[in-house]
Amino acid sequence: MMGFGFHEADEGGGGRLLSCYRPPVPPLPSLDDVWPAVEHATAAVGAFDRALSGFRISGRPVPGTIGRLFARLDAVHSSGAEGATTTFTDLLEYETSLNRAPDPQDAGQVAACADAFEALQGKAFAPKAAILEIHRRLFERVPDPHVSATAGHWKRYANCTADYDSPNGMFFYTRPGSVDAALDDWERFTLDTGGPELVRQALSHWMFEHIHPVDDGNGRVGRLLVPLVLKRKSATDNACCFLGEAVHSNKDLYVDGLKRGRLTGDLAHWTRLLLSFAAQTAERNLMRLERLGEILGRWQAATAGLRSHSLVHRLVPWVLTRPAFTVRDALAGIGAGTFASMNTAIGRLAALGLIEPANAAGRERLFAAPEVIALFDSARNTVR
Ligand SMILES: Nc1ncnc2c1ncn2[C@@H]1O[C@H](COP(=O)(O)OP(=O)(O)OP(=O)(O)O)[C@@H](O)[C@H]1O
Ligand SMILES: [Mg+2]
C-alpha cells in the first residue's frame, strides 16, 4: 500500500523516540470518483439549510432553532460517539434552573460542546484560534485539575491511538513541535477555495484528526468545526452541516475511513463516507424541522383564541426551542411578566395539552413539551 504523509521523530517521555505522523495537504479527489456523493450531500444539506432560513413565526426567525435544538442534538451525538451517556432529554433538564442530570459532569461537557457552537456560529473566526476556543469551553470546568489545566492549550506530549498496523500497535499523531506548522497548512487549506466546499471540508476534517492538536476532544472539536467553517465561508447560510448523529451510529466506519485514507493516500473513499454522513444527518434533521413546523402550527391554532397580549403568545415560540423548562427559566428567557402571570400562562399551555408537568408538584416545577422532545431524543426511538 502506498504511504501518505510522513513521519517525524519525537522524544516522547522516558527518552523513547516516537515516530509521529504528519499529514500532507491532501489533493482534492477526482470529481468523477465522488460526484454522486457530492450531489447527494449538497442537495440534503442545502434543503435543510433553506428550511432553517425559512423557519419563521410571524415573518421572524424562531430564535434558538439551531443552537437550542439541532446543535444540542449534535453535541449529544458527537459526545455520545466518544462514550458520553447524556441523552437529549438529560441535557435539556441539566440546562434548566434545576441543573440536574444522571451524570452532571458528563452533561456539563455535552452542554459545553453546544455552547461552543453557539459562541462561534455567527463569528468570522480564524479556524486555528477557534480550535482552542472550543477546547477551552470543553475542558475548563472538568473537575480533574490536570485536565482543566490543558483547556485552551495545544498538546504538550505526543498522543496516540491503538492501531494494529503500526509498530508496537500504536499510531502517533503529529508531534507537538510540528503542530503549529501543520495547523498553518490546515488553516490555509480549510479557508482556501476551489472544488466543492463540502469536499474541501471533508478533507480538512481528515487532516485535522491526523494532526490531533489537543490532548483530548479532537473528535468533538473537529466535527464541530465542519458546520462552523462552512457557515463562516458562506457555503451554507446556517451552521447546519452536522456530522455527530451519523458518526455516532457508524463510529467504526468513520475511524476505518480516517485510517484508510492515510494508508492508501486515496481520499475519495473518505470523502464519500463523510459526505454520506453529512447527507444522512441533514435528511433526518430536515424531517425533524418539518415536524417541528407542524407542531408550531398546531400550537398557534390552539392558542389563537387567547387575548393578543397574553404571555402565552410569547411562550409558544420560546417553548418550541426550549422544550424542558421551569417557570424561572421562562421568566428569564422571555424577560417579561411576573412569576404569577408566567405561572398562569404556562398553566394555560398545560390545560391545552401542549406541555405537561414532568415532575411532582413542588416549588420548582419542571415542564416539558413531549412532542418536541420526542423528535430529538433518539433514546425514545421516535424518529427513524
Ligand atoms: N486511527 C485514527 N486515525 C485518525 N484519526 C482517528 C483515528 N482514530 C480516531 N481518530 C479520531 O480521533 C477522535 C478521538 O480523539 P480524541 O480522544 O482526542 O477526541 P474525543 O472527542 O475526546 O474522543 P474520545 O472521547 O473518543 O477520546 C475520533 O473521534 C476520530 O475523529
Ligand atoms: Mg477523548
Side-chain angles (χ1 to χ4, degrees):
M1 270 186 288
M2 195 186 91
F4 191 49
F6 56 94
H7 285 81
E8 297 173 311
D10 180 69
E11 296 209 11
R16 263 188 323 145
L17 268 195
L18 303 172
S19 174
C20 294
Y21 184 65
R22 173 94 180 257
V25 174
L28 294 178
S30 152
L31 273 187
D32 285 345
D33 291 339
V34 295
W35 192 248
V38 173
E39 269 194 316
H40 181 198
T42 307
V45 174
F48 180 47
D49 193 24
R50 281 190 301 279
L52 280 168
S53 295
F55 193 70
R56 286 164 180 267
I57 183 165
S58 314
R60 278 195 240 117
V62 183
T65 306
I66 304 177
R68 303 269 352 142
L69 297 175
F70 292 98
R72 277 178 159 68
L73 180 65
D74 184 63
V76 165
H77 281 300
S78 192
S79 310
E82 314 297 355
T85 54
T86 298
T87 65
F88 186 77
T89 306
D90 296 337
L91 176 62
L92 291 193
E93 189 165 340
Y94 178 77
E95 293 188 316
T96 65
S97 60
L98 298 172
N99 193 222
R100 63 181 187 206
D103 182 343
Q105 203 180 311
D106 191 83
Q109 272 217 318
V110 178
C113 195
D115 288 342
F117 174 92
E118 286 208 270
L120 287 166
Q121 68 164 326
K123 291 214 180 114
F125 56 82
K128 211 169 145 179
I131 299 168
L132 292 184
E133 164 86 22
I134 299 170
H135 189 261
R136 177 178 64 73
R137 286 170 182 272
L138 276 178
F139 292 98
E140 68 189 351
R141 293 204 181 83
V142 170
D144 181 340
H146 296 293
V147 176
S148 60
T150 70
H153 298 287
W154 305 122
K155 66 186 175 190
R156 290 176 50 210
Y157 303 100
N159 43 8
C160 63
T161 183
D163 176 16
Y164 299 112
D165 296 313
S166 294
N168 305 323
M170 294 310 252
F171 168 75
F172 282 85
Y173 299 106
T174 301
R175 64 178 187 147
S178 294
V179 160
D180 197 40
L183 284 178
D184 284 342
D185 289 347
W186 169 80
E187 184 171 76
R188 215 171 298 120
F189 175 80
T190 301
L191 292 179
D192 206 353
T193 51
E197 197 54 50
L198 286 174
V199 173
R200 181 170 292 276
Q201 297 315 320
L203 299 179
S204 163
H205 183 59
W206 179 88
M207 213 177 155
F208 181 85
E209 292 307 326
H210 283 86
I211 300 170
H212 236 66
V214 284
D215 274 338
D216 193 13
N218 293 279
R220 284 163 285 167
V221 173
R223 288 189 288 276
L224 209 50
L225 283 167
V226 172
L228 290 171
V229 167
L230 285 166
K231 153 105 169 101
R232 151 93 172 69
K233 294 183 82 180
S234 304
T236 55
D237 289 333
N238 303 283
C240 67
C241 183
F242 295 113
L243 302 168
E245 188 170 16
V247 169
H248 193 183
S249 16
N250 301 281
K251 182 79 190 282
D252 292 350
L253 280 179
Y254 168 73
V255 171
D256 283 353
L258 282 163
K259 187 171 154 180
R260 180 167 154 182
R262 165 171 59 87
L263 292 175
T264 66
D266 169 17
L267 288 183
H269 167 267
W270 165 255
T271 303
R272 287 193 298 268
L273 183 72
L274 207 75
L275 294 190
S276 84
F277 285 177
Q280 274 174 45
T281 308
E283 280 166 354
R284 293 183 68 142
N285 280 340
L286 177 60
M287 188 169 76
R288 293 187 176 102
L289 187 65
E290 285 169 355
R291 295 205 194 157
L292 199 62
E294 290 161 18
I295 294 172
L296 177 60
R298 266 188 281 117
W299 285 9
Q300 284 181 298
T303 53
L306 300 175
R307 285 175 296 121
S308 63
H309 58 274
S310 166
L311 261 184
V312 167
H313 300 297
R314 299 178 67 174
L315 208 47
V316 161
W318 185 81
V319 173
L320 197 72
T321 65
R322 194 66 198 249
F325 63 96
T326 62
V327 179
R328 206 139 56 94
D329 294 326
L331 267 176
I334 290 172
T338 59
F339 194 91
S341 63
M342 190 58 78
N343 210 15
T344 307
I346 290 171
R348 287 246 159 82
L349 288 189
L352 289 167
L354 312 187
I355 59 172
E356 56 189 39
N359 60 358
R363 252 181 63 91
E364 277 248 75
R365 201 120 205 237
L366 179 69
F367 291 90
E371 277 186 294
V372 177
I373 292 176
L375 287 181
F376 290 87
D377 202 331
S378 53
R380 297 178 177 212
N381 278 329
T382 45
V383 176
R384 287 173 203 282

